[in-house]
């Protein structure tokens, strides 16, 4: 059995100015900046949200700007296989997560568990 749940709203911003993108989205959403440079590489920032809200991440990307979702899990490969059985496909493994594509063409990511506790809205899959 493995578990998963929706965890992140990721705002992909084409370009390299993480600070400007983070400032805009922080002000637009009324959420303070939690971490202006998550990995120290100038590509990822996070906004402060409450424990019952989705985490909001800002990401600098090379592709056109868009928004995507992250699904967190305690078993990356089992969750990828479950979603493939539903028609999704694996696009590639990046750092610590799978980039997936839904049958509708939407990209999303499967990431390692983000919080110590999944909380009450976790899905349980398998026997």
């Amino acid at each position: 059995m493995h578990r998963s749940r929706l965890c992140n709203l990721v705002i992909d911003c084409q370009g390299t100015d993480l600070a400007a993108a983070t400032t805009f989205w922080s002000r637009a959403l009324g959420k303070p900046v939690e971490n202006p440079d998550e990995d120290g590489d100038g590509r990822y920032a996070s906004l402060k949200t409450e424990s019952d809200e989705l985490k909001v991440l800002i990401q600098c990307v090379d592709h056109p700007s868009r928004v995507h979702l992250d699904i967190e899990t305690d078993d990356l490969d089992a969750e990828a296989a479950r979603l493939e059985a539903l028609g999704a496909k694996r696009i590639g493994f990046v750092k610590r997560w799978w980039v997936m594509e839904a049958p509708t063409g939407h990209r999303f990511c499967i990431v390692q568990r983000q919080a110590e506790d999944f909380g009450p809205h976790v899905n349980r899959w398998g026997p």
Side-chain angles (χ1 to χ4, degrees), residues 10-13 18 43-45 57-61 68 97:
V10 184
I11 302 171
D12 295 337
C13 302
L18 180 63
R43 295 196 57 182
Y44 307 95
L57 304 176
I58 314 301
Q59 175 178 241
C60 287
V61 295
H68 79 263
W97 59 87

Side-chain angles (χ1 to χ4, degrees), residues 22-111:
T22 302
T23 297
F24 172 81
W25 285 108
S26 171
R27 291 177 179 168
L29 299 174
K31 303 290 181 191
V33 176
E34 181 174 54
N35 188 328
D37 192 355
E38 292 250 331
D39 290 340
D41 61 4
R43 295 196 57 182
Y44 307 95
S46 60
L47 302 183
K48 175 98 174 97
T49 56
E50 298 300 324
S51 62
D52 63 342
E53 295 180 298
L54 287 177
K55 186 170 183 176
V56 178
L57 304 176
I58 314 301
Q59 175 178 241
C60 287
V61 295
D62 297 328
H63 58 72
S65 295
R66 61 182 175 223
V67 175
H68 79 263
L69 302 173
D70 284 351
I71 296 171
E72 70 177 325
T73 183
D74 54 9
D75 189 329
L76 284 175
D77 291 328
E79 183 67 359
R82 183 185 77 80
L83 293 163
E84 285 175 317
L86 297 174
K89 61 183 174 184
R90 296 182 205 211
I91 300 301
F93 193 79
V94 180
K95 290 189 178 187
R96 324 176 270 287
W97 59 87
W98 277 109
V99 176
M100 304 288 290
E101 185 174 279
T104 56
H106 295 92
R107 298 274 173 107
F108 62 98
C109 295
I110 304 170
V111 300

